[in-house]
Amino acid sequence: MKPVIQEEATGCGIASVANILGKTYSEMKERANAMGIFATDPSLWSDTGYVRRLLMEAGVATSKGETPFVSWSSLPCTALLSIKHHQEQGKYVWHWVVFKRVGGDAFVLDSSSYLASNKRTDFDAMEPKWFIEVM
């Protein structure tokens, strides 16, 4: 599995959905833009609705709410995780990554362009706040 790298500084949600759907960043960006979703929109930095809409449009269901992170072992087989949680201008913002469990192996697909490896297993370094289950 080759992780999708975000092509915009604020495109982690689009890249994460591309990672789940097996699409390229440009394919997912085109779909998102056609739906009125643009990575440069600051309201997306603290919103979960647009990743749900992108997945729903592709026929992929998600949990209705966000589930607090308890442990890596308790995560479902596929989940959108919020990491790097912090506040900017009074709003909570985060970075989207995708957790996958395949054949007993667990890893995170992180779309950040600065990483040496975008398939991560350094679980202690990520500190998720909550997740959205991807069915």
Side-chain angles (χ1 to χ4, degrees), residues 63-110:
S63 58
K64 293 193 185 298
E66 295 79 48
T67 304
F69 177 84
V70 175
S71 71
W72 292 100
S73 62
S74 68
L75 287 172
C77 289
T78 304
L80 282 163
L81 290 174
S82 69
I83 66 170
K84 299 183 182 176
H85 236 262
H86 62 283
Q87 279 194 352
E88 285 185 18
Q89 299 176 357
K91 286 189 169 186
Y92 284 104
V93 297
W94 56 85
H95 176 63
W96 287 114
V97 295
V98 178
F99 173 82
K100 298 281 288 178
R101 188 177 291 111
V102 180
D105 292 327
F107 54 90
V108 167
L109 300 174
D110 188 331

Side-chain angles (χ1 to χ4, degrees), residues 15-61:
S16 291
V17 173
N19 273 316
I20 291 168
L21 299 179
K23 303 289 183 189
T24 66
Y25 186 84
S26 58
E27 287 171 328
M28 205 67 248
K29 180 181 174 179
E30 185 176 318
R31 279 186 177 184
N33 291 173
M35 295 172 65
I37 299 168
F38 300 92
T40 55
D41 179 354
S43 70
L44 301 183
W45 304 342
S46 57
D47 180 29
T48 64
Y50 78 102
V51 290
R52 294 175 198 276
R53 283 182 47 217
L54 287 167
L55 288 166
M56 185 174 59
E57 190 266 339
V60 177

Side-chain angles (χ1 to χ4, degrees), residues 111-132:
S111 63
S112 296
S113 60
Y114 62 84
L115 294 171
S117 174
N118 297 91
K119 187 174 178 181
R120 298 178 63 178
T121 56
D122 59 332
F123 300 117
D124 291 340
M126 289 184 261
E127 300 179 9
K129 183 88 167 172
W130 45 259
F131 67 92
I132 296 171

